[in-house]
Amino acid sequence: MTESADLSGFDVKAFLKTLTQRPGIYRMLDANAEIIYIGKAKNLKNRVSSYFRGNAVSPKQQAMVARIAAIEVTVTHTEGEALLLESQLIKRHKPRYNISLRDDKSYPYVFISSFHDFPQLSFHRGAKKRRGRYFGPYPSASAVKETLKLLQKIFPVRQCEDAYYNARSRPCLQYQIERCTAPCVGLVGKEAYAADVENTILFLEGKGGLLIDNLVAKMEAASAELEFEAAAFYRDQIGRLRAVLEKQCVEGEKGDVDIVACAAKAGAACVQVFFIRAGQNLGNRQFFPKIGDDDGPAEILQAFIAQFYLDKTVPAELIVSHQPPEAELLAEVLGEQAKRAVAISASVRGERAKWLQMATTNAESALNVKLADQQGLFGRFLSLQQELHCPETPSRLECFDISHTLGEQTVASCVVFDRNGPVKSDYRRFNIEGVTGGDDYAAIHQAVFRRFKRQKQGEHPAPDILFIDGGKGQVGEAEKALAELQINNVMIVGVAKGPDRKAGMEKIILAGRDQPLDVTPGAAALLLIQQIRDEAHRFAITGHRQRRSKARNRSTLEDIAGLGPKRRQSLLKQFGGLQGVVKASVDALTSIEGISRHLAQRIYDTFHQQDDH
């Protein structure tokens, strides 16, 4: 049930009298109908009324209350339901006066498939739709890649994509350097491969001791049978495994624990999270939530935990640097989500206290660096205002770049900066379709049009300045795209490469101006422009490489109806690769088991019709 009230022409006292005393959430809106604060309450009437008792209101609340033009209330069954709903809405709307988590990107996992004859070990991010085991979450993509790299050295389980695996007719380089046993071409049996998969799972489950015991037993058995080569193999495997476990093992921990520490000062905060899964340290990650000037570490952790673990796997225990005000309620709600008990502990001893101190020190150090960077970054924004003669200091910048190889697989990137630096959650890539290969002007037009069409639909705020990596032609196309959308309140700035493409020699092109802008040599604004242009370039190239790699890894055979993985594998083996299949006659294709005359003709036509064009 939801109620709202327009406070500009409404008797606040009368409205408060009508409020229920049941639990729920309240949303405070300003004159533009934008949500400026979301809160939850065990008793809605008592909580909302507290904002209008002048002597009990903090400076932050005074500023917020002065902007309230409407209040919306949603009643829930329990306070726990209210906490969940509050966290969901804060993550979605990021109101001005709430503590909100900026980075809500999904976290990566190590994945082992269960639907292959020879399971695949891989990096995974996103919804867990594929059948198999997921291990994590890991704090970053680099942490997952490092784990996969280590595992490949110890247990040679394949990590290649299915398209690449299914198209193999001979072993790849990974087999040559003993990082894979080449199941793609039948050089390892299912039983031996399954043993490597089982060992990999034991490692990821944190059962390193059991795994080493198993390998020691195999080594001794091989030695007793005088199979010294096999014994030496197990010995080396044990040595590599011990080295990895010594680095990752957390003394005294065997389960899943997150260590969460907060540091706050000067209107900024840093939260450090150390991820420990099955007694192994998977790494740590830092967060910089948006906070108010008077929010303390305990309140910040309260909001952070509620938002961060809302849609993630919750460990059995959270060790925190400051006890959240509603720790019991948080633990209850997280426990209901995890379907098991979850503990939140602030008082710890021994090794746990050392880890907590380490997390706290990391949070304080990262916050000091962030504050120093922000001061320098804000100076660059001020310089940008002066150099571009903006009426106000810009607060949001976007930059577009194009990447392709000889006009193929064109990708446009859009990166976003605010006064705190890159806003990676707002980055976007656009696969450019329907334009002549290599036509960067048309590509910029399409990308800008698609981006700002979504902006008009309210998907993201408009930038103050739109940077385009290019000269007059690209700037002109961006102008046309915005004009088609009837957007005329965004400054467009081109960043053209200077002589010899040297950094610092860029030409700054303003829309509607014939000559490049004279920028003060060495101005801090140039550093900011270079930074956002380089980030757009990096993001575009990465996207283009991924698209090109995906296109190259896809076999033409995969597009032929009725030709499944096993038949594709048989064709590639029998004819020595894709080129052999292309050269084969219909009769030769028909000789392969499972390939009917009709299917053989379809395969032949697929390649030879393409040749006619």
Side-chain angles (χ1 to χ4, degrees), residues 353-413:
K354 291 180 183 178
W355 277 92
L356 183 56
Q357 182 57 52
M358 184 191 301
T360 302
T361 301
N362 273 269
E364 292 169 349
S365 176
L367 180 58
N368 289 333
V369 171
K370 182 74 170 178
L371 289 171
D373 286 346
Q374 282 182 346
Q375 289 175 353
L377 188 60
F378 185 66
R380 293 179 184 182
F381 270 82
L382 289 174
S383 175
L384 188 66
Q385 178 188 9
Q386 294 171 356
E387 297 296 334
L388 299 183
H389 308 293
C390 303
E392 297 180 354
T393 306
S395 60
R396 183 180 173 95
L397 314 175
E398 293 190 5
C399 185
F400 282 75
D401 191 18
I402 302 294
S403 181
H404 57 77
T405 300
L406 300 176
E408 293 186 353
Q409 311 299 336
T410 302
V411 171
S413 69

Side-chain angles (χ1 to χ4, degrees), residues 225-243:
E225 294 291 330
L226 304 182
E227 296 175 357
F228 299 118
E229 188 174 340
F233 172 79
Y234 289 127
R235 179 202 63 204
D236 294 343
Q237 212 173 28
I238 291 166
R240 289 192 293 267
L241 186 57
R242 285 192 190 280

Side-chain angles (χ1 to χ4, degrees), residues 482-512:
L482 294 189
E484 290 170 19
L485 293 167
Q486 299 181 335
I487 295 174
N488 55 16
N489 61 344
V490 176
M491 177 184 284
I492 303 174
V493 178
V495 186
K497 296 176 178 63
D500 300 323
R501 306 169 72 94
K502 286 185 178 179
M505 303 295 288
E506 293 83 3
K507 294 180 180 179
I508 306 304
I509 312 295
L510 296 185

